[in-house]
Amino acid sequence: MARDYPIERTRDIGIVAHIDAGKTTVSERVLFYTGVSHKIGEVHEGEAVMDWMEQERERGITITAAATTCFWMPTEDRAGGVKTKEKEMRINIIDTPGHVDFTVEVERSLRVLDGAVVVFDGVAGVEPQSETVWRQADKYNVPRVCFVNKLDRTGASFEKSYASILERLTSKAVKVQLPIGLEENFEGVADLMKMKAYRFEGEHGEQIIEADIPDDMKVEAEKCRAELVEKVVETDDVLMERYLGGEKPTLVELRKALRAATIANKLVPVLCGSALKNKGVQLMLDAVLYYLPSPVDLPPVKGVNPKTGASEERPASDEVAFSALAFKVASDPFVGQLTFFRVYSGKLEAGSYVLNVNKNQKERIGRILRMHANHREEVKEIFAGEIGAAVGLKYTRTGDTLSVEDTPVLLEQIVFPEPVISVRIEPKTKADQEKMGLALRRLADEDPTFRIKGDEETGDTLIAGMGELHLEIIVDRMKREFKVDANVGRPQVAYKETVKATAEAEGKYIRQSGGRGQYGHVRLRIEPMARGAGFEFVNAIKGGAIPQEFIPAVEKGIKEAIDKGVVAGYPVIDVKATLYDGSFHEVDSSEMAFKIAGSMAFQEGARRAQAVLLEPIMKVEVIVPEKFLGEVTGDLSSKRARIEQMFARGGTSAVGDSALKVIDAKVPLSEMFGYSTQLRSLSEGRASYTMEFNHYEEVPKNVSEEIVSGRRK
């Protein structure tokens, strides 16, 4: 089977943004205009095609990233109404969640995408989570275009939103469009590249009417056009020379230069519209084709040869060896497990065998599916630059590399944050108990930020995740998909422990009675490491003080002690343990004895090295009418909050308050439970807040004592 669309005409893009900016509405319009769906599904009516989970439809939020494939031909090429396959392009879209509890979905989507459309709310402009997703895109160097949405809302301002992008995200943003009218007078879009105005008519805005720019906008449009041309020619030396010589660049030249600058992350085009009112989405699709990269426009993907450890590159071509990255696992009631993957090089046929490089396991690709929102198409073969889903993979999890057996390559893995909150969960009946184990395992396979562990003292099951909503959805899915009924405890904070100083300790485990005894003796050096460095074990034994066969046992003993903790029973992080000395007995020494000695030495060393508790600190943004500012800040201060800044925000609240204040603060997670109810009662229901994990920090001494004694009660 030959490729139906050349790789140059393929775009892999994601739609990312803050919660409620309108990502799913934009995606719905894209599906409608590209002909994938024949009716527009509205989010607020629970009919969105991209939100296919029951929980998403009920709550009106996106939880899982949905992938779809659609086809688009530039607006100017379809003027005659004739579609030609030569000009049509394939766009693979991933619609991502905005809620910070599902940050993993955004992270893994950006890892495999070539470009992104960042959507902004025209009233609020850049919000805290907009910054989070922007930084995630920076991390993977993803080229992006901005789409300022909701310009029909009261209080919308394109200029303010654009200024907030320049100020808070990037100085490389450049206007490519201007809105015609604002709020209830929003009529259409002025294109600064072509210097034409576009209005969208018909029931769903499918008829695009091109006209001249209105007279009252001409001066501003000319000014913005001059700025745009200047910024674009600055990125291209040849154009710059000609421009300085008084020659004006043509439309084709401008587009070509802007495309090159966008792909190199030198410029970010800013577009505008209102997805709900069906204005501007088609031109945003055009911009995706014009400015965002195809797989061949980007440098070859880098990886490591697992056999030699040498770095390798794989270009985006069908002719080279196959390599792909699995970025998502989803349970499907009909086919079992679906594994979504992005093909970086080569091609893959259904029924063939691949190697999971991370696990060193052979896997058989049973079927290959191409996703179209909520339905799927089975294909025989998939090519470089495409996104598909495979059925039949047993061992592959999120972030694993798939490649051909004879030329394996290990691609860069995705790093996921640690969970910050946990709840106890117990099944209601014996039948539930059996089903619960399977359900939790399935859900943990899907979501790398969801963890399960047993409490040894009480025998309870603890589930941990990124926030209260995240765990609520997990429990809801257990009930619906796996028919498991369970009692859920109060949320608990996932504390951690670490050390502040360097210390040495020895551990002796000696039991020598008649006959066979036990003898293990180790000396350890415990040192703190930078945040996020994890655990490192160094074997510095010289001269055979401890035989090599016992050293893994020492490491195992240390790891057990790390999991149990030394202050209050929480796992120890960011610590380095160096085994530098010890002794052994020729007859009585055993792995068991060294394992216990290693564990004892670590516990003793950690206590000497000033072991402390760490707690998750959240970045909180509260939007509150000025009238209630005093009560809200006072309440935050009582929660051990560090208020970093306060500023006024334009626009009005739902009730019509003109002066809204924004408070940025860092607050420990343990103080934030039940905050939404508290905030409502403090502000007569008129304030709102968003919260996301920021970092771990040492717990004050008085709070630490409370936690320790609380665990012992």
Side-chain angles (χ1 to χ4, degrees):
M1 177 183 139
R3 179 190 264 284
D4 48 358
Y5 280 81
I7 193 163
E8 297 80 32
R9 294 214 314 269
T10 300
R11 300 285 183 273
D12 295 321
I13 64 156
I15 296 180
V16 297
H18 175 86
I19 191 165
D20 265 351
K23 294 178 293 299
T24 305
T25 306
V26 168
S27 308
E28 291 297 321
R29 298 307 185 266
V30 167
L31 294 186
F32 176 75
Y33 294 131
T34 55
V36 172
S37 61
H38 299 291
K39 137 179 183 290
I40 292 182
E42 297 294 5
V43 177
H44 54 268
E45 291 167 11
E47 289 173 356
V49 177
M50 294 298 261
D51 288 348
W52 49 270
M53 283 169 69
E54 285 177 29
Q55 292 89 337
E56 295 181 312
R57 294 189 162 190
E58 283 169 12
R59 296 162 186 257
I61 59 170
T62 304
I63 296 168
T64 67
T68 188
T69 301
C70 56
F71 303 95
W72 183 249
M73 193 169 101
T75 307
E76 60 191 40
D77 294 331
R78 56 172 69 222
V82 182
K83 278 191 173 183
T84 54
K85 204 165 173 184
E86 286 69 52
K87 293 213 171 154
E88 205 168 47
M89 302 218 189
R90 168 187 279 142
I91 309 178
N92 299 316
I93 296 177
I94 297 183
D95 175 32
T96 63
H99 205 287
V100 287
D101 285 19
F102 311 109
T103 182
V104 54
E105 294 287 341
V106 184
E107 185 83 26
R108 58 181 165 199
S109 303
L110 286 170
R111 167 69 183 83
V112 297
L113 292 168
D114 297 333
V117 176
V118 189
V119 184
F120 297 93
D121 180 332
V123 177
V126 174
E127 299 194 60
Q129 281 152 265
S130 319
E131 293 186 53
T132 306
V133 292
W134 193 270
R135 304 287 168 251
Q136 283 173 309
D138 281 343
K139 185 168 142 188
Y140 297 116
N141 285 324
V142 177
R144 52 217 97 148
V145 300
C146 297
F147 181 68
V148 179
N149 189 21
K150 300 191 178 184
L151 288 176
D152 58 307
R153 276 182 61 196
T154 307
S157 165
F158 177 69
E159 287 303 325
K160 275 188 182 166
S161 301
Y162 176 68
S164 68
I165 296 172
L166 287 178
E167 185 190 334
R168 295 176 67 175
L169 299 179
T170 177
S171 57
K172 299 166 184 170
V174 53
K175 291 178 208 168
V176 181
Q177 292 174 353
L178 289 177
I180 303 171
L182 279 172
E183 301 182 0
E184 69 270 19
N185 303 322
F186 178 60
E187 292 174 19
V189 167
D191 186 330
L192 299 175
M193 295 291 262
K194 291 177 80 173
M195 290 304 277
K196 290 283 183 193
Y198 293 91
R199 286 181 173 78
F200 304 85
E201 292 179 2
E203 192 186 347
H204 300 300
E206 55 271 46
Q207 297 166 24
I208 304 171
I209 314 293
E210 186 180 298
D212 288 333
I213 291 175
D215 292 341
D216 58 345
M217 279 185 68
K218 273 194 174 152
V219 176
E220 192 192 353
E222 289 289 350
K223 181 170 138 253
C224 293
R225 158 94 181 174
E227 276 176 31
L228 167 68
V229 172
E230 267 180 34
K231 283 190 175 175
V232 172
V233 297
E234 273 173 17
T235 62
D236 187 308
D237 292 345
V238 177
L239 273 186
M240 185 76 170
E241 265 181 51
R242 283 170 43 198
Y243 179 71
L244 292 173
E247 201 178 317
K248 286 187 175 172
T250 62
L251 178 64
V252 172
E253 288 172 335
L254 265 181
R255 272 186 190 156
K256 191 179 169 190
L258 182 53
R259 175 181 177 82
T262 306
I263 294 170
N265 277 313
K266 288 178 184 170
L267 288 176
V268 179
V270 180
L271 315 158
C272 59
S274 165
L276 192 68
K277 295 287 188 283
N278 307 312
K279 292 181 169 66
V281 176
Q282 299 99 317
L283 301 184
M284 185 267 296
L285 277 171
D286 291 351
V288 165
L289 305 189
Y290 292 142
Y291 310 126
L292 288 182
S294 72
V296 280
D297 295 321
L298 292 171
V301 61
K302 289 186 172 61
V304 174
N305 185 326
K307 294 176 181 169
T308 62
S311 56
E312 285 187 9
E313 287 189 346
R314 291 279 166 97
S317 158
D318 301 341
E319 308 311 316
V320 294
F322 168 75
S323 68
L325 189 78
F327 65 94
K328 184 176 169 70
V329 175
S331 295
D332 188 281
F334 305 108
V335 295
Q337 207 158 299
L338 276 177
T339 309
F340 288 78
F341 60 93
R342 155 77 196 259
V343 183
Y344 280 100
S345 61
K347 51 191 179 193
L348 179 67
E349 282 182 38
S352 56
Y353 284 87
V354 291
L355 177 74
N356 179 334
V357 185
N358 299 67
K359 309 272 191 325
N360 202 19
Q361 289 272 11
K362 254 178 94 171
E363 294 260 46
R364 183 177 180 272
I365 305 280
R367 292 157 64 199
I368 300 173
L369 304 171
R370 192 177 285 151
M371 311 309 281
H372 295 278
N374 58 356
H375 77 275
R376 42 187 78 127
E377 163 198 8
E378 194 163 334
V379 291
K380 291 277 184 289
E381 201 170 8
I382 193 161
F383 301 89
E386 291 187 21
I387 291 172
V391 178
L393 300 181
K394 285 182 185 169
Y395 308 104
T396 304
R397 297 289 172 266
T398 303
D400 287 356
T401 303
L402 301 170
S403 87
V404 270
E405 221 174 333
D406 45 358
T407 53
V409 65
L410 185 62
L411 303 175
E412 181 197 353
Q413 278 188 278
I414 313 172
V415 181
F416 296 113
E418 285 289 311
V420 293
I421 184 170
S422 62
V423 295
R424 288 178 190 273
I425 184 165
E426 61 171 8
K428 285 188 177 172
T429 63
K430 187 89 175 111
D432 285 330
Q433 192 166 358
E434 287 163 10
K435 286 190 288 189
M436 187 171 96
L438 173 74
L440 289 175
R441 213 166 41 252
R442 282 269 187 85
L443 291 166
D445 286 346
E446 280 186 33
D447 187 345
T449 55
F450 171 60
R451 309 278 163 85
I452 314 156
K453 67 174 197 185
D455 189 324
E456 287 173 15
E457 290 172 22
T458 59
D460 292 350
T461 304
L462 284 168
I463 58 172
M466 295 309 292
E468 287 179 84
L469 179 66
H470 184 195
L471 293 179
E472 200 180 306
I473 298 287
I474 293 268
V475 173
D476 194 20
R477 284 186 65 188
M478 270 173 45
K479 273 189 187 150
R480 292 193 199 193
E481 290 171 38
F482 301 97
K483 309 288 184 280
V484 177
D485 249 354
N487 295 321
V488 182
R490 263 188 72 234
Q492 295 172 324
V493 178
Y495 291 103
K496 301 269 191 276
E497 296 179 12
T498 193
V499 298
K500 286 169 71 177
T502 301
E504 292 181 356
E506 67 175 330
K508 284 183 180 173
Y509 183 72
I510 302 171
R511 299 281 182 277
Q512 286 177 309
S513 54
R516 181 94 195 206
Q518 295 283 351
Y519 187 97
H521 173 217
V522 300
R523 289 179 190 270
L524 288 182
R525 187 179 303 112
I526 311 290
E527 297 166 70
M529 285 168 73
R531 266 304 156 272
F535 166 66
E536 188 184 343
F537 174 73
V538 179
N539 172 18
I541 293 287
K542 304 274 192 302
I546 301 173
Q548 281 301 315
E549 70 252 34
F550 295 135
I551 286 173
V554 176
E555 186 176 358
K556 198 172 171 192
I558 295 173
K559 279 184 174 164
E560 276 186 15
I562 276 176
D563 285 343
K564 285 195 187 111
V566 288
V567 182
Y570 295 103
V572 184
I573 58 166
D574 308 330
V575 61
K576 178 178 175 181
T578 308
L579 173 64
Y580 66 94
D581 198 9
S583 63
F584 74 106
H585 190 285
E586 283 188 359
V587 178
D588 290 349
S589 277
S590 66
E591 285 186 8
M592 186 68 191
F594 272 103
K595 183 179 147 188
I596 296 170
S599 175
M600 288 162 67
F602 181 82
Q603 285 176 344
E604 179 59 31
R607 280 193 200 95
R608 288 184 188 172
Q610 299 172 26
V612 289
L613 271 179
L614 298 173
E615 62 182 346
I617 304 290
M618 310 306 277
K619 180 176 158 193
V620 177
E621 184 183 82
V622 185
I623 300 171
V624 56
E626 197 165 359
K627 186 177 165 188
F628 307 105
L629 187 66
E631 286 93 331
V632 171
T633 47
D635 181 58
L636 280 172
S637 301
S638 71
K639 296 183 180 302
R640 301 191 281 125
R642 276 204 313 273
I643 294 173
E644 294 190 333
Q645 60 171 345
M646 277 190 251
F647 55 90
R649 167 169 293 170
T652 54
S653 72
V655 188
D657 285 309
S658 56
L660 285 177
K661 294 284 187 202
V662 178
I663 307 168
D664 275 343
K666 299 274 193 316
V667 194
L669 174 62
S670 55
E671 306 282 349
M672 290 300 291
F673 292 132
Y675 185 60
S676 50
T677 319
Q678 229 170 327
L679 188 64
R680 269 191 222 116
S681 61
L682 284 171
S683 66
E684 298 174 6
R686 286 152 74 181
S688 63
Y689 80 104
T690 53
M691 168 170 95
E692 59 186 283
F693 169 68
N694 194 268
H695 65 285
Y696 269 94
E697 198 171 279
E698 190 184 329
V699 176
K701 200 158 176 46
N702 60 332
V703 180
S704 172
E705 283 165 8
E706 280 173 31
I707 296 166
V708 173
S709 60
R711 271 192 72 88
R712 289 184 183 153
K713 270 178 198 168

